[in-house]
Amino acid sequence: MNKTIIFLLLLSLVGCSNFTNKGEGLNSASSDLKLDVKKFTLSNGLRLLVVENPQLPIYSYYTFFDVGGRYETNGTTGATHFLEHMMFKGAKKYGPHKFDTFIESNGGSTNAYTSFDSTVYYENLPSHTLETMIDMEADRLQYVLLEPKAFEKERAVVLEERKYRYENSPKGQLFLAMMQSVFKGTPYGGSVIGDEADVKNLKIPEMRKFFDQFYTPDNAVVVIVGDVDADKVYEMVKDKYGHIKPSKDLKEFKKQMDSEERYTHRARYKRDVKLYGQSPSPMFSVAYKGKKIGEETSYVLDILSSILGDGSSAYFHQKYVKNKRPLLSSISVANYTLRHNGVFFLTGELLKRTNLNKFKHRLLKDIRRSCNEAITERTVQKTKNQYLVQYYSELQTNSGVASFIGLRENFYNDYSFYNKELEIYQSITAEQVKKVCHDIFDKNEYIFLSVWDKNPKGNK
C-alpha cells in the first residue's frame, strides 16, 4: 500500500449515516472518527464486515484475498494476476458469461485488481440483487472454471497487457527496472503481471493448485456497504459460504513465505541503470530504501514525499518545473509501502535541452539539501491539511468505504486501524520529517535509472 492508498482511502463517509466526526481538523480527527462496522466471523474463518447506509438503494461488495505476487515462485510468476482474469470466466453454478451478464443487466459494475500483497474483487449494484450476488461470489470462490479455450484466450490478453504496461511503455520499463533493482532477490523484485516466459508456460493444473491453496474462506475478507441489513447479510453469507472448507496448511506456508529474511534488501546502491526505450526525452527515477507498511517511519515518509513532490506547489516541482529556467517537464515523489518492505523514489522527465548527466549530479545534491530547505512547520501542516481535504472529498461512496475498511482488515486484521494511523499522522512534527529525510538521503545510497532512445540498445 502506498501513500495514495493510505491517504485517498483515509476515510470519507460524508453522506453516510454511520459516520460521525466532531473534529475540525487533522489534529482532532482521530478520536472522533466513528465507523459503525458490524463484523462477523464464520466458523470456517471467513471475515465479514458490513456497514449499513440506507440513503440510496445500492451497495458495494468487496472481497479481499491475502494473496499476491509475493507468494509466487520461479515458473509461476503472474499466476495471481492471471487467475484474477479467470475468475470472471464462470464457475460451476453460474457458467461462462453469467457473472458479467447479471451485473450488466442490473446496471451494475465489476472489476478487480492484483498487487504484490493482495487480490481484490468488487461490484456495485442495486440492493435487490444482493442475495444473488452473494451466491455468485460463493460459487466462484469454490468452483472457478478453468476451461482450456477461455484459458488460452485470457493468456493472450495477459501477454498483451504486459506489453502495453512494460515493453511498450517507457514509464512501465522504468518502474519495472526499479522494482527489479531495489528488490533484487526478494519476492517484490519483478512484476505482478509476471515474467513473459512464465505467463506463456503456465498450465491449468498449476493455476488450479494456486486457486485451491489461496482461495479459501479463512484467507478472505468480504465487505458489504450500502442499503443492506447487517444481520440479514450475515445470514445469507453464512448460508452460501458457511459450508466451504478452510485451508489445510496455508497458515504454516504463509509463515515460511513471509519470513523476514526473504524480504531483506539485497540491492547494490550508488549506481546507474540505463535502459533503452522509445522515449525521445530522458525519463528517470531515483530510488532509495523504504519502509514496510505500518512502520511509524513509513508515515513520516508519506509526509516527506508529499512535501517534495506532490502537486504543483511541491518543492521539486517549483525547483525544476515552475522555475524561470525549467529543467523538467514533470517530477513526482512517492513512498511505496508494501507488506514486508518499501521503496522511496523520485521520477520525472527531462526537457529536451537538459543534459541527463549534469542534471543527475545536480539532483542528487538538491535531494540532500531538501531536508533543510523544504521541510518547515508550515509545509508539514500544509501537507496534513491537504490530506484532510482528500480524506473527505475522495471517498464519498459505498465503494470507498468498503475499500477503506477492507484494506485495513486485510493488512492489519483490524478494520479500525485507521484510529492508530490518524494518531500517528497527527503527531508527526517537522523535526521528525527532517530527521527521516536526512536518514534516507545522507548516506547517498541511491539507484539512478533512466530510459531514453539514446541509451545503449542492449539495455532493456
Side-chain angles (χ1 to χ4, degrees):
M1 206 183 317
N2 59 22
K3 73 182 179 67
T4 301
I5 296 176
I6 286 284
F7 286 110
L8 296 186
L9 294 179
L10 265 180
L11 197 60
S12 173
L13 279 177
V14 175
C16 179
S17 61
N18 290 298
F19 167 69
T20 59
N21 180 19
K22 299 176 182 177
E24 295 181 355
L26 187 57
N27 290 334
S28 59
S30 60
S31 62
D32 294 317
L33 183 58
K34 306 295 182 184
L35 291 175
D36 188 6
V37 181
K38 292 181 172 64
K39 180 177 177 179
F40 307 89
T41 303
L42 275 59
S43 60
N44 58 13
L46 179 77
R47 284 171 283 167
L48 170 66
L49 306 179
V50 184
V51 177
E52 298 172 345
N53 179 21
Q55 290 194 344
L56 294 171
I58 55 177
Y59 68 92
S60 292
Y61 190 131
Y62 273 66
T63 307
F64 294 79
F65 290 97
D66 182 26
V67 58
R70 78 181 196 275
Y71 286 151
E72 297 164 353
T73 56
N74 290 337
T76 65
T77 63
T80 319
H81 173 255
F82 196 159
L83 178 57
E84 174 216 307
H85 281 241
M86 294 305 299
M87 286 289 285
F88 291 91
K89 301 304 173 185
K92 183 177 180 180
K93 183 175 181 180
Y94 298 93
H97 312 299
K98 295 288 181 66
F99 193 88
D100 288 341
T101 299
F102 174 77
I103 292 172
E104 290 171 7
S105 65
N106 281 283
S109 62
T110 182
N111 214 327
Y113 65 86
T114 310
S115 70
F116 279 109
D117 292 322
S118 303
T119 304
V120 183
Y121 301 86
Y122 54 96
E123 298 87 37
N124 300 291
L125 283 157
S127 297
H128 71 268
T129 66
L130 180 58
E131 187 170 8
T132 302
M133 196 69 250
I134 291 173
D135 196 30
M136 283 186 158
E137 284 288 23
D139 183 37
R140 67 174 178 170
L141 171 58
Q142 300 171 85
Y143 306 116
V144 67
L145 292 180
L146 298 178
E147 192 274 324
K149 187 175 181 180
F151 189 85
E152 292 306 322
K153 183 178 180 180
E154 215 55 35
R155 189 200 304 275
V157 172
V158 172
L159 288 169
E160 191 61 33
E161 182 181 354
R162 182 188 159 88
K163 283 185 181 179
Y164 173 77
R165 290 196 182 184
Y166 298 120
E167 282 80 5
N168 297 337
S169 167
K171 287 183 179 179
Q173 280 181 272
L174 198 59
F175 182 78
L176 178 57
M178 181 189 75
M179 296 297 287
Q180 291 171 332
S181 300
V182 172
F183 297 117
K184 183 178 180 180
T186 81
Y188 294 138
S191 92
V192 174
I193 296 179
D195 294 336
E196 184 178 7
D198 288 353
V199 176
K200 285 182 176 179
N201 293 311
L202 190 67
K203 303 294 190 297
I204 289 178
E206 292 173 317
M207 185 175 286
R208 175 64 66 185
K209 181 180 178 182
F210 206 82
F211 172 81
D212 291 340
Q213 184 174 19
F214 295 107
Y215 280 64
T216 60
D218 51 324
N219 200 42
V221 177
V222 172
V223 186
I224 299 175
V225 177
D227 185 22
V228 299
D229 181 289
D231 292 331
K232 291 181 179 177
V233 169
Y234 168 67
E235 291 300 327
M236 287 188 284
V237 168
K238 183 179 178 182
D239 178 54
K240 301 300 182 183
Y241 286 86
H243 64 282
I244 305 173
K245 293 181 180 180
S247 61
K248 292 182 179 179
D249 304 312
L250 185 56
K251 187 176 181 180
E252 184 60 32
F253 173 84
K254 289 164 72 172
K255 183 179 179 181
Q256 294 175 5
M257 294 293 282
D258 288 337
S259 63
E260 187 175 343
E261 61 189 38
R262 295 191 73 234
Y263 296 88
T264 303
H265 278 286
R266 299 173 174 84
R268 182 167 56 88
Y269 290 91
K270 294 185 180 179
R271 66 187 181 97
D272 289 8
V273 176
K274 295 183 179 182
L275 309 166
Y276 174 79
Q278 300 302 318
S279 180
S281 299
M283 300 174 67
F284 71 90
S285 285
V286 191
Y288 298 83
K289 292 178 184 178
K291 297 293 182 180
K292 67 181 181 180
I293 188 171
E295 287 192 17
E296 188 165 349
T297 301
S298 72
Y299 297 103
V300 182
L301 288 172
D302 285 339
I303 299 286
L304 176 63
S305 67
S306 290
I307 291 172
L308 296 183
D310 188 2
S312 61
S313 64
Y315 177 77
F316 283 120
H317 188 87
Q318 290 290 318
K319 197 172 192 69
Y320 295 135
V321 179
K322 301 295 284 187
N323 195 291
K324 290 182 180 179
R325 295 182 178 179
L327 299 175
L328 305 177
S329 60
S330 66
I331 188 169
S332 62
V333 183
N335 180 38
Y336 184 21
T337 56
L338 296 131
R339 189 182 285 269
H340 298 289
N341 216 319
V343 56
F344 189 96
F345 64 101
L346 298 82
T347 189
E349 184 170 2
L350 277 64
L351 293 172
K352 288 186 177 180
R353 60 180 177 79
T354 305
N355 180 278
L356 178 60
N357 287 328
K358 288 182 179 179
F359 173 75
K360 172 201 163 186
H361 292 298
R362 174 175 172 175
L363 175 63
L364 293 174
K365 289 180 181 178
D366 286 343
I367 286 174
R368 296 194 295 277
R369 289 173 182 158
S370 69
C371 299
N372 295 324
E373 294 181 0
I375 302 161
T376 64
E377 295 288 349
R378 179 181 176 277
T379 56
V380 170
Q381 187 58 52
K382 177 184 175 183
T383 301
K384 290 181 180 181
N385 293 342
Q386 289 172 336
Y387 289 160
L388 188 64
V389 171
Q390 292 173 343
Y391 177 133
Y392 288 112
S393 65
E394 294 289 340
L395 294 173
Q396 300 182 25
T397 63
N398 292 330
S399 181
V401 177
S403 180
F404 174 78
I405 61 176
L407 281 167
R408 278 146 190 81
E409 184 69 27
N410 189 44
F411 276 94
Y412 305 112
N413 297 316
D414 179 10
Y415 68 84
S416 65
F417 192 80
Y418 60 83
N419 286 314
K420 182 176 181 180
E421 287 178 341
L422 290 174
E423 288 173 2
I424 293 172
Y425 287 123
Q426 170 189 331
S427 68
I428 291 172
T429 66
E431 287 305 311
Q432 275 183 285
V433 181
K434 278 188 179 182
K435 181 183 183 305
V436 169
C437 184
H438 283 294
D439 287 345
I440 192 173
F441 294 143
D442 285 359
K443 295 177 183 177
N444 209 27
E445 291 185 342
Y446 66 86
I447 300 176
F448 188 91
L449 305 100
S450 64
V451 59
W452 192 19
D453 61 9
K454 304 265 187 319
N455 280 342
K457 284 192 176 183
N459 297 339
K460 295 182 180 179

